[in-house]
Amino acid sequence: MIILKTPEEIELMRAAGRILAACHREIKTMIRPGVTTWDIDQFVEEFLAKNGATPEQKGYSGYPYATCGSVNDVICHGFPKKEPLRDGDIVTIDMVVRKDGWLADSAWSYEVGNVSTEVKRLLEVTEKSLYLGIEQAVVGNRVGDISHAIQTFAQANGFSVVRDFTGHGIGKDMHEEPYVPHFGPPGRGQRLKEGMVITIEPMLNIGTYHAKIDEDGWTARTRDGQLSAQYEHTIAITADGPVILTKQ
């Protein structure tokens, strides 16, 4: 069942989104060789507490951390670790924030130190694909229009689109209907309606789109060991067009 949100409820989600975006802005200043994803996770816990919010991921289906910290070939759901980031790495920090009962969700990929031209292209294309998807999140379109815009752009630039993980509806629960794939034909799937709130979160790989899961049951890696990147926003679908609730 798709749960439509009132304008007042969307404003409550926007409040959660503002805290999340402010947290990402602070994280950006922390990213450098030698910092650990464990350091970032501890910072996020403290930042959210100071702002009257909580990390929704912590405890979700047994997940033990406030963030996901995914480095290099990790597509998503990486555990924060005490291993220092190195010059040339990619790190994606993903978090879901609860404020006054409502949620916002956003992941962002960061370059660590001096990265290669190939890494810069991966990040640029992944971020651009997110915004092309957002442009399609308008009343009357279908979920497949978002999916197709992302896949078309990504593949035209030589990158593959992960199939195993999708965007989703969000509100008081982290995962609501509809699910939002980042690949597929246009004109298919759920019709988009005013009041829907969804995440769009393309994950692009340099190599194959196939994933594998580590023994921890969470960490998803590229099957061929190539690099992966992800950008994600929480989007409200309104009569005036898509509204980014996690805008930085």
Side-chain angles (χ1 to χ4, degrees):
M1 180 180 69
I2 293 173
I3 303 171
L4 301 179
K5 280 73 178 178
T6 66
E8 293 76 18
E9 290 169 338
I10 289 172
E11 284 306 306
L12 289 168
M13 296 185 73
R14 192 199 297 267
R18 287 195 186 102
I19 294 170
L20 197 163
C23 192
H24 266 301
R25 288 195 296 271
E26 293 297 321
I27 290 168
K28 184 176 182 179
T29 69
M30 297 174 65
I31 302 294
R32 61 185 181 276
V35 169
T36 72
T37 51
W38 179 270
D39 297 332
I40 294 168
D41 190 74
Q42 298 304 298
F43 167 79
V44 169
E45 285 243 42
E46 294 169 6
F47 184 93
L48 297 185
K50 288 177 183 176
N51 285 276
T54 55
E56 185 69 9
Q57 281 150 283
K58 192 168 186 177
Y60 178 81
S61 296
Y63 188 81
Y65 303 105
T67 63
C68 297
S70 303
V71 180
N72 292 336
D73 67 324
V74 177
I75 298 169
C76 59
H77 304 158
F79 282 9
K81 295 183 178 179
K82 296 181 180 180
E83 179 180 342
L85 295 171
R86 298 173 300 178
D87 192 61
D89 284 345
I90 301 172
V91 59
T92 301
I93 305 299
D94 185 8
M95 72 183 90
V96 184
V97 171
R98 181 177 290 275
K99 171 70 173 174
D100 297 328
W102 292 91
L103 300 174
D105 186 0
S106 179
W108 217 250
S109 288
Y110 299 96
E111 53 189 74
V112 182
N114 299 300
V115 301
S116 68
T117 301
E118 184 177 42
V119 166
K120 284 186 178 291
R121 277 200 68 247
L122 173 64
L123 296 177
E124 289 168 1
V125 171
T126 307
E127 185 177 0
K128 177 65 174 177
S129 74
L130 166 64
Y131 289 105
L132 290 173
I134 291 171
E135 288 177 6
Q136 297 298 316
V138 297
V139 174
N141 271 5
R142 293 186 180 272
V143 165
D145 297 318
I146 298 171
S147 311
H148 184 70
I150 291 168
Q151 183 181 20
T152 300
F153 182 72
Q155 291 183 175
N157 281 276
F159 299 110
S160 65
V161 181
V162 172
R163 265 76 161 161
D164 293 329
F165 305 97
T166 71
H168 49 85
I170 187 170
K172 287 189 170 182
D173 293 316
M174 190 189 307
H175 296 117
E176 298 180 355
E177 294 183 9
Y179 288 92
V180 184
H182 307 110
F183 66 97
R188 305 277 184 88
Q190 178 67 44
R191 182 80 68 182
L192 302 177
K193 299 179 180 179
E194 183 178 359
M196 291 172 66
V197 181
I198 60 173
T199 71
I200 303 175
E201 46 186 293
M203 290 152 265
L204 271 56
N205 299 343
I206 287 177
T208 177
Y209 65 79
H210 294 290
K212 61 182 179 180
I213 306 297
D214 283 1
E215 290 182 1
D216 61 27
W218 285 95
T219 304
R221 297 180 184 273
T222 59
R223 193 174 294 177
D224 59 6
Q226 296 270 33
L227 299 177
S228 184
Q230 179 189 13
Y231 290 88
E232 173 189 16
H233 275 312
T234 297
I235 310 298
I237 297 171
T238 77
D240 298 320
V243 175
I244 301 173
L245 302 182
T246 47
K247 186 176 182 180
Q248 293 184 31

